[in-house]
Amino acid sequence: MKLTSKLIVATAALALTSTLAFAGSGPYNGTKDALDGGMTYPRANGVETAYSYNTQAMKKLNYGRVPTANELKAWDMDMMPDGTGYPEGSGSVEEGDELYEAQCASCHGEFGAGGKGYPTLAGGSVESLKNQRTCPGKDAPTRTFGSYWPQVSTLMWYIRDAMPYAHPKSFTNDELYAMTAYLLAANEITIDGEELDDEYVLNKEKLMKVKMPNRDGFYPNIDGPDGVENVRKFFANPKNYGAVGTRCMKDCGKEKIMRIGMEITNVVPPYSTVRDLPVEKETGSKSAAEKMYDASCVVCHKTDAMGAPAVGDHDAWATVMEQGIDKVNHNSINGLGGMPPKGGAMDLTDEQVKDIVKFMVESSK
Amino acid sequence: MSNISENNLESTSSRRDFFKKTAAYSVSAIAAAAVLAPAKLLADDENIIHHTKWGTTLGDELNKNPYGLPSKYEHNIVRRTSSLMSSAGDMHAAVSMTPLHELSGIITPNGLHFTRTHNGVAHVDPNKFRLMIHGLVEKPIVLTLDQLKQYPSESRTLFLECPANGAAEWKGPQFNSLQFVKGMMSNAEWTGVRLSVILDDLGLKPTAKWMLAEGSDGSEMSRTIPVEKVLDDAMIVWAQNGEALRPEQGYPVRLMLPGWEANLCIKYLKRLEFGKEPWYCKEETSKYTVLTKSGKAIQHFYPLEVNSIITSPCPEKPWKNLKKGQMIEIEGIAWSGHGTITNVDISLDGGDNYVEAQLKGLVLPKSWTRFSYMHKYDGKPMLIQSRSIDDSGNVQPSVSQEKDIIGVEGVYHRNSIVTWEIRKDGSVHNVQVRTDNCPA
């Protein structure tokens, strides 16, 4: 008894110590050394956190094959800020203007000014990026290609791969330069101090000289040999990115309550948690002949209970069809045995009856 | 029939006899009967008294649906979207939300996984799928899907979250719905090959610092990823909860970067290139950068930080028909891209005081973790919150704590504490406790 309670005290003390020493440490023996400021976990002896894995050698598998030069050329098409991947070609602001009007303005608005619900491409200012709508009525920051994007390579690469929206990858290289020239002009961006007027012709060399207004508007600095280390330093301090909660448990303080002002309710499908039977939807897939069959013939022909050959009964209809389709059509129009002419549906034309017969025959094969 | 219910029947009938014999004439005895045998005064439940339709008819043939479907009664359990989360209501570049309020456990069924597309849901022909890996590797390769799947596989249960989850709420609450407040995320078991296994084969050159991942859809979605993450725990996956990826999730193959922005986990994967410098893709400059109040923006903001949400009760699942004094479970989900959830605290008074909730089920790194707290319902209005802590030591911030550092225009990576207001009638409302300093 004494021993047990000692043990409990000892365990509790140990638990307390480890809580103090490794505050917040979890069950998987991780180390806080990941690039993103988080944890990495040991992978050894077939165990990684809660998972087991196969420890046999997995080297020299040699799957797949080396790509051909043409395959690499076809897919390695990305464009980078240093000009890597910029194609040969050229285009003027004026040519870009015409292309823009024809291919882009319907979504992005005249002169890239937006207003159609799709992204705004021109206007705004780097200065506006400091705007904060902390209170009602304040202006928003305007994040356009001209005011926000750090690199021009991104624009031309993206236009080539992803635009026009409905049929991407359809612009020629000359068109890409023309479009890029137009959007630089629409944003009043200069190259070597020169304004881009209508006659301005953009090419690879000139594009490499573009410095976007918000080039220095982003952190951490990811460029150059220290790029990754800058990222590591940035994430090492949670205060840099807002992961700054405090674990207060009592009398932490009261703040005001903000309720929903104008609730957004236009959601699709509408909100519902009801568990009932769904409303039957019109199939819409029935042919005209099947609809006429449903209206005029199904009562007798659904089963053979009334002596009529049942639709879907392969053998019964094979027997009927031994007479030939012309005879079957004739009997259907003029009546036979218990069946009145046209099954009693005298408003049907002869052709409609033939269509129905065809549906019944087809459905019974 | 069990002995217990036989005994109950017996005691009921003997009680009935007793009342017949002795107390049927006295008014006070009727009151006594109400106390002693309340079941006698309740209306019978027709669902018990009568045979059911499904108990008296033949059901469907067993394989009527060769690929199974949910019960037809569950038709409201669906992804939802809003034109506000698209361009001009165009649903090709939009996002749909997982119905978190209807999920149990930590696995999201594939048909309910949240979806974000930048140029519509692509339908990649698996026979024409090719994956190219090149750049700063000793041996570049192309793989067919069959060749890719030859690699030894691993499975991981991981959350995927769009970093814009909750983006509508920076300036205040807007949606009165769990699905729209936090539904841009899901959790599934993903199966594929670790990229480190492939790179062992190809040989990565020491100068390789970054990897470009590129998709094959109409937007050619691409992102730059640091090689360090690629070698740590990145995977190329082809299966989701035991079956092929759904087209909405990138069929046939996507990248999986545990704990990082879902946008980085490129769908319809086509090409991986290793290089010395980052690429500056459209979705890591124009979007997916966090504009802070300094006017400068955080780029390459990879991890989804520690987060949590109460899923029951919630606006869609209010506390209705509860009795004062009864016990009721407060349940929710916690997750962290930085590691493993260690604790979740619950506040019942809008963040003034907290008590510790308990974790339940599997507690896995970079995965949803369920938490639970039993509460004695007293019928009074409440402001309930959850606050999670992970093994990296990060604590989920309050709205004000996050806002003070980032501002209100960040759009992405909002992980502050969510508050549900429970009113007297049991209805649940999305509110925020926050300090704003607007001039009156």
Side-chain angles (χ1 to χ4, degrees):
Chain A
M1 201 58 188
K2 219 174 179 181
L3 189 68
T4 319
S5 42
K6 260 186 186 170
L7 198 64
I8 290 170
V9 170
T11 315
L14 191 68
L16 189 68
T17 319
S18 46
T19 308
L20 291 173
F22 307 102
S25 81
Y28 298 124
N29 199 23
T31 312
K32 191 175 173 176
D33 61 357
L35 178 64
D36 64 7
M39 307 297 281
T40 61
Y41 297 101
R43 181 175 166 90
N45 307 319
V47 177
E48 181 186 7
T49 65
Y51 303 95
S52 296
Y53 66 90
N54 183 348
T55 57
Q56 287 173 272
M58 290 181 183
K59 284 185 187 269
K60 300 205 172 131
L61 299 172
N62 283 317
Y63 300 151
R65 63 165 173 83
V66 173
T68 68
N70 280 335
E71 287 169 348
L72 274 167
K73 202 174 148 198
W75 275 16
D76 185 7
M77 295 276 281
D78 50 80
M79 298 184 201
M80 298 179 79
D82 66 358
T84 303
Y86 283 3
E88 297 303 324
S90 64
S92 71
V93 171
E94 192 171 15
E95 287 159 356
D97 191 356
E98 281 171 28
L99 272 169
Y100 182 87
E101 282 299 313
Q103 303 263 27
C104 321
S106 61
C107 290
H108 294 291
E110 300 290 320
F111 311 111
K116 311 262 184 180
Y118 289 85
T120 303
L121 300 179
S125 67
V126 174
E127 196 51 35
S128 81
L129 300 177
K130 287 183 184 153
N131 291 352
Q132 291 279 319
R133 284 169 288 175
T134 44
C135 301
K138 288 198 170 189
D139 287 338
T142 45
R143 279 166 270 204
T144 70
F145 159 63
S147 69
Y148 193 65
W149 296 31
Q151 302 287 0
V152 71
S153 57
T154 309
L155 180 80
M156 199 159 84
W157 180 16
Y158 188 72
I159 293 176
R160 195 208 48 216
D161 282 355
M163 290 289 135
Y165 186 51
H167 45 104
K169 305 175 185 66
S170 57
F171 287 126
T172 65
N173 289 340
D174 287 346
E175 287 173 333
L176 289 176
Y177 279 107
M179 198 84 77
T180 305
Y182 175 71
L183 286 170
L184 287 169
N187 280 289
E188 296 170 4
I189 291 166
T190 57
I191 298 179
D192 264 350
E194 190 182 346
E195 283 180 23
L196 277 59
D197 58 17
D198 276 3
E199 285 74 42
Y200 191 92
V201 177
L202 186 65
N203 60 22
K204 182 176 173 177
E205 287 68 38
K206 289 177 185 164
L207 191 62
M208 282 171 71
K209 291 179 183 168
V210 173
K211 190 186 179 213
M212 295 298 291
N214 196 38
R215 174 68 191 93
D216 301 322
F218 296 83
Y219 62 97
N221 179 6
I222 52 173
D223 302 325
D226 296 333
V228 174
E229 290 315 306
N230 291 336
V231 170
R232 189 188 316 281
K233 274 182 219 152
F234 173 79
F235 282 115
N237 183 0
K239 281 188 179 166
N240 286 335
Y241 53 99
V244 288
T246 40
R247 203 174 175 204
C248 165
M249 299 303 280
K250 277 197 86 65
D251 302 324
C252 310
K254 284 178 188 278
E255 291 182 282
K256 278 186 201 159
I257 301 169
M258 182 191 275
R259 294 190 172 79
I260 296 174
M262 288 271 280
E263 190 192 338
I264 300 173
T265 54
N266 60 333
V267 305
V268 183
Y271 291 128
S272 174
T273 55
V274 172
R275 281 178 167 78
D276 57 2
L277 286 180
V279 178
E280 292 276 339
K281 284 189 189 128
E282 285 285 326
T283 56
S285 60
K286 283 187 178 182
S287 67
E290 187 176 359
K291 285 178 187 159
M292 290 188 288
Y293 165 82
D294 286 347
S296 307
C297 321
V298 70
V299 176
C300 299
H301 283 278
K302 189 171 184 184
T303 69
D304 59 5
M306 297 177 75
V311 169
D313 183 337
H314 174 84
D315 292 346
W317 280 89
T319 308
V320 168
M321 287 303 288
E322 280 169 11
Q323 311 165 68
I325 185 67
D326 290 346
K327 182 69 176 162
V328 175
N329 280 336
H330 177 86
N331 291 344
S332 304
I333 291 162
N334 298 296
L336 176 72
M339 174 171 159
K342 294 180 180 174
M346 295 310 289
D347 51 330
L348 294 176
T349 66
D350 288 1
E351 287 310 307
Q352 285 175 326
V353 174
K354 285 179 191 170
D355 285 346
I356 296 170
V357 169
K358 192 177 168 200
F359 163 76
M360 294 165 81
V361 171
E362 292 293 323
S363 305
S364 307
K365 277 182 176 169
Chain B
M1 198 180 274
S2 71
N3 287 335
I4 292 166
S5 44
E6 271 173 30
N7 287 342
N8 285 349
L9 281 179
E10 211 170 88
S11 61
T12 310
S13 68
S14 57
R15 213 180 285 142
R16 194 185 300 140
D17 290 347
F18 167 79
F19 287 128
K20 259 189 204 158
K21 283 174 197 155
T22 62
Y25 313 102
S26 120
V27 176
S28 63
I30 293 170
V35 173
L36 288 172
K40 289 301 289 175
L41 297 179
L42 283 174
D44 293 328
D45 185 339
E46 295 294 313
N47 297 302
I48 296 169
I49 300 301
H50 297 297
H51 288 303
T52 58
K53 189 183 169 191
W54 61 89
T56 52
T57 51
L58 194 56
D60 289 343
E61 288 183 356
L62 84 156
N63 213 25
K64 181 186 173 192
N65 300 313
Y67 192 97
L69 298 168
S71 161
K72 57 189 175 181
Y73 290 93
E74 299 286 313
H75 63 100
N76 282 317
I77 320 309
V78 290
R79 291 184 286 236
R80 290 185 168 81
T81 185
S82 171
S83 58
L84 288 159
M85 292 168 171
S86 70
S87 291
D90 182 328
M91 286 298 161
H92 295 94
V95 59
S96 68
M97 327 290 275
T98 290
L100 299 176
H101 57 289
E102 298 282 10
L103 297 190
S104 305
I106 59 170
I107 295 296
T108 307
N110 291 340
L112 297 177
H113 198 288
F114 93 97
T115 301
R116 170 78 168 105
T117 60
H118 294 261
N119 196 293
V121 174
H123 294 279
V124 178
D125 179 344
N127 305 299
K128 295 181 179 174
F129 165 89
R130 299 291 182 273
L131 176 64
M132 187 182 285
I133 307 176
H134 69 112
L136 295 176
V137 289
E138 299 297 339
K139 187 186 108 175
I141 54 166
V142 281
L143 294 159
T144 64
L145 186 56
D146 285 343
Q147 287 165 344
L148 175 66
K149 287 183 178 179
Q150 285 180 355
Y151 282 106
S153 69
E154 288 188 30
S155 299
R156 288 286 182 277
T157 299
L158 301 165
F159 73 81
L160 261 188
E161 183 182 19
C162 176
N165 201 11
E169 314 260 308
W170 278 102
K171 296 173 214 55
Q174 296 210 72
F175 285 100
N176 201 34
S177 151
L178 169 58
Q179 187 166 9
F180 280 84
V181 168
K182 276 284 176 277
M184 268 185 232
M185 63 163 181
S186 300
N187 203 67
E189 186 201 57
W190 305 93
T191 300
V193 57
R194 287 175 85 105
L195 259 165
S196 56
V197 170
I198 298 181
L199 290 171
D200 252 0
D201 227 13
L202 306 189
L204 193 61
K205 293 186 179 170
T207 45
K209 290 273 190 274
W210 304 95
M211 179 182 82
L212 173 73
E214 190 174 69
S216 67
D217 62 315
S219 72
E220 208 98 342
M221 250 296 303
S222 52
R223 290 290 300 261
T224 302
I225 294 131
V227 161
E228 188 166 327
K229 176 69 173 181
V230 173
L231 295 175
D232 178 19
D233 59 359
M235 299 171 80
I236 298 177
V237 299
W238 53 78
Q240 168 184 3
N241 293 332
E243 64 176 1
L245 300 185
R246 291 291 170 92
E248 293 91 335
Q249 271 66 59
Y251 178 90
V253 167
R254 83 179 300 168
L255 190 63
M256 186 58 58
L257 304 175
W260 284 18
E261 294 181 338
N263 181 265
L264 284 156
C265 303
I266 301 293
K267 303 195 283 188
Y268 320 111
L269 193 65
K270 166 186 176 181
R271 189 166 74 95
L272 301 173
E273 179 177 358
F274 290 86
K276 263 189 263 189
E277 292 287 332
W279 268 262
Y280 286 89
C281 306
K282 189 232 174 195
E283 307 300 350
E284 61 202 24
T285 52
S286 137
K287 299 287 190 299
Y288 301 92
T289 43
V290 175
L291 182 58
T292 66
K293 60 185 183 180
S294 67
K296 307 263 183 202
I298 302 169
Q299 63 183 349
H300 284 240
F301 196 158
Y302 316 117
L304 281 322
E305 309 110 284
V306 66
N307 214 331
S308 69
I309 183 81
I310 292 170
T311 58
S312 178
C314 67
E316 290 96 326
K317 296 275 173 170
W319 273 350
K320 294 286 185 191
N321 306 316
L322 297 193
K323 289 187 219 98
K324 280 182 195 173
Q326 81 161 78
M327 298 302 291
I328 183 77
E329 185 186 31
I330 295 173
E331 200 196 352
I333 302 168
W335 67 102
S336 171
H338 273 135
T340 310
I341 292 296
T342 54
N343 308 84
V344 177
D345 303 324
I346 300 275
S347 176
L348 307 174
D349 60 5
D352 196 15
N353 295 283
Y354 284 88
V355 288
E356 194 158 357
Q358 294 183 23
L359 306 186
K360 58 179 189 176
L362 292 172
V363 179
L364 300 170
K366 301 167 186 184
S367 164
W368 282 357
T369 300
R370 284 275 171 184
F371 63 85
S372 170
Y373 179 77
M374 292 303 291
H375 168 67
K376 190 172 185 181
Y377 181 69
D378 63 7
K380 288 181 190 144
M382 299 167 73
L383 293 166
I384 61 170
Q385 301 180 333
S386 63
R387 177 181 70 190
S388 57
I389 296 104
D390 67 22
D391 55 352
S392 80
N394 284 347
V395 180
Q396 188 181 357
S398 70
V399 170
S400 297
Q401 283 172 329
E402 184 175 38
K403 184 169 63 70
D404 287 348
I405 286 180
I406 302 294
V408 297
E409 302 290 351
V411 180
Y412 305 99
H413 288 269
R414 195 173 163 276
N415 69 316
S416 50
I417 292 168
V418 171
T419 307
W420 299 139
E421 177 184 42
I422 303 173
R423 295 189 186 157
K424 252 182 138 174
D425 63 358
S427 64
V428 180
H429 302 264
N430 176 28
V431 302
Q432 288 182 7
V433 291
R434 61 189 283 163
T435 304
D436 284 307
N437 298 310
C438 287

